[in-house]
Amino acid sequence: MYQAATVSLAHQRQLRLLNALRANKKPIMTFLGLPSFRTAQVVAQTGIDAIIIDCEHGYISDDSMHSSTAAIAALGVSPLVRLRMTHSDLIKRALDAGAHGIVIPQINTAEEAKAVVSHAKFPPHGTRGQGSAFPALTHGIDLPTYLKTANETLITCLQIETKAGVENIDAICAVPGVDMIFIGPNDLALSVLGYVPAKGDEPEFVQAIEKIVATARRHGKWIARLSNDGPSCKEHLEVFDTVAMSYDIRALQNWYMAELRVARS
């Protein structure tokens, strides 16, 4: 049994998100969906603590993921990568690019969670292969130190966003090596309610979120969710350890729409 990130004594200054979570400082993340390391740099200079490079829904190629990961880490912000599935090759590529953690969507069973952890950990705790010099750079350490500490310091975050995921949440959270549970409220609403967005007060939807949060807490996992804006972030951080505040694409759209309304009024 290895030490989970929540109890590890390893401390690396570059790991902004992990260090903030350990200190209960309520870090704030956001999503990056545009394939531009310049956009990554601009967002990383806003004061954000972590940026999730969205390879699931964003327009992000493998090249863009590599360059954005490096650009974000160079500015002292933690890059995470959201993958489109649990395949070992995708997990390897994200971690070899230097991601400080991975976010895996649509986790429905403990078996899926175990597979993700295995792909993300070096032996003897997993099956991840070694061969890239890049991840040590984004962690601000040398390669031997990275190889010794990666199993303890990389954040493995699983998204729960289906009825099946909610039903199996206890078994999922019991998997060693799962560090964080992320609630995808829109997909969760689609699965539980059959429509999106949720109004927010539907009993079945509220109960699902409460069950996820309570179970994650009981198993000592960090808990996160998507938040649409600053006021929502402030409200959600009363319950959650961290939130992802919207999306670079929505931020662009929202600013232009708001300013155009004023200009044309």
Side-chain angles (χ1 to χ4, degrees), residues 32 34-37 40 51-56 59-73 79-84 89-99 101-102 138:
L32 183 77
L34 295 172
S36 166
F37 81 93
I51 298 175
I52 303 170
I53 302 165
D54 190 5
C55 294
E56 182 192 15
Y59 185 54
I60 305 289
S61 68
D62 197 64
D63 285 350
S64 294
M65 181 266 288
H66 265 263
S67 60
S68 293
T69 298
I72 292 164
L80 281 74
V81 177
R82 179 163 74 173
L83 304 174
R84 58 184 179 270
D89 286 356
L90 298 177
I91 293 173
K92 182 192 301 183
R93 290 296 287 169
L95 295 179
D96 280 359
I102 50 173
T138 68

Side-chain angles (χ1 to χ4, degrees), residues 36-149:
S36 166
F37 81 93
R38 292 301 187 193
T39 302
Q41 287 178 316
V42 169
V43 177
Q45 288 182 312
T46 62
I48 205 81
D49 297 298
I51 298 175
I52 303 170
I53 302 165
D54 190 5
C55 294
E56 182 192 15
H57 295 301
Y59 185 54
I60 305 289
S61 68
D62 197 64
D63 285 350
S64 294
M65 181 266 288
H66 265 263
S67 60
S68 293
T69 298
I72 292 164
L75 290 167
V77 176
S78 287
L80 281 74
V81 177
R82 179 163 74 173
L83 304 174
R84 58 184 179 270
M85 59 189 298
T86 61
H87 199 282
S88 60
D89 286 356
L90 298 177
I91 293 173
K92 182 192 301 183
R93 290 296 287 169
L95 295 179
D96 280 359
H100 291 186
I102 50 173
V103 181
I104 310 295
Q106 299 281 335
I107 294 297
N108 296 315
T109 67
E111 288 68 31
E112 292 174 349
K114 290 175 183 176
V116 169
V117 171
S118 178
H119 299 329
K121 302 293 183 183
F122 288 122
H125 309 301
T127 58
R128 180 185 173 193
Q130 189 277 323
S132 174
F134 301 132
L137 299 177
T138 68
H139 286 65
I141 53 178
D142 58 64
L143 187 57
T145 301
Y146 176 81
L147 294 174
K148 290 177 183 177
T149 60

Side-chain angles (χ1 to χ4, degrees), residues 21 24 26-27 217 221-224 237 239-243:
L21 286 166
N24 194 31
K26 302 287 185 174
R217 289 271 180 255
K221 311 298 184 183
W222 290 309
I223 184 75
L237 285 172
V239 175
F240 294 82
D241 298 298
T242 181
V243 295

Side-chain angles (χ1 to χ4, degrees), residues 185 188-189 192-193 198 200-210 225:
L188 183 62
V192 171
L193 303 173
D201 59 356
E202 299 92 339
E204 192 174 1
F205 182 70
V206 172
Q207 289 167 13
I209 291 178
E210 290 178 345
R225 66 160 291 161

Side-chain angles (χ1 to χ4, degrees), residues 240-257:
F240 294 82
D241 298 298
T242 181
V243 295
M245 184 172 67
S246 194
Y247 211 97
D248 60 337
I249 298 167
R250 293 194 191 110
L252 282 169
Q253 290 175 324
N254 289 342
W255 186 88
Y256 275 102
M257 289 189 294

Side-chain angles (χ1 to χ4, degrees), residues 170-207:
D170 188 68
I172 292 169
C173 286
V175 174
V178 173
D179 301 303
M180 183 186 295
I181 299 296
F182 188 103
I183 295 176
N186 292 325
D187 280 336
L188 183 62
L190 275 175
S191 181
V192 171
L193 303 173
Y195 60 84
V196 69
K199 298 174 184 175
D201 59 356
E202 299 92 339
E204 192 174 1
F205 182 70
V206 172
Q207 289 167 13

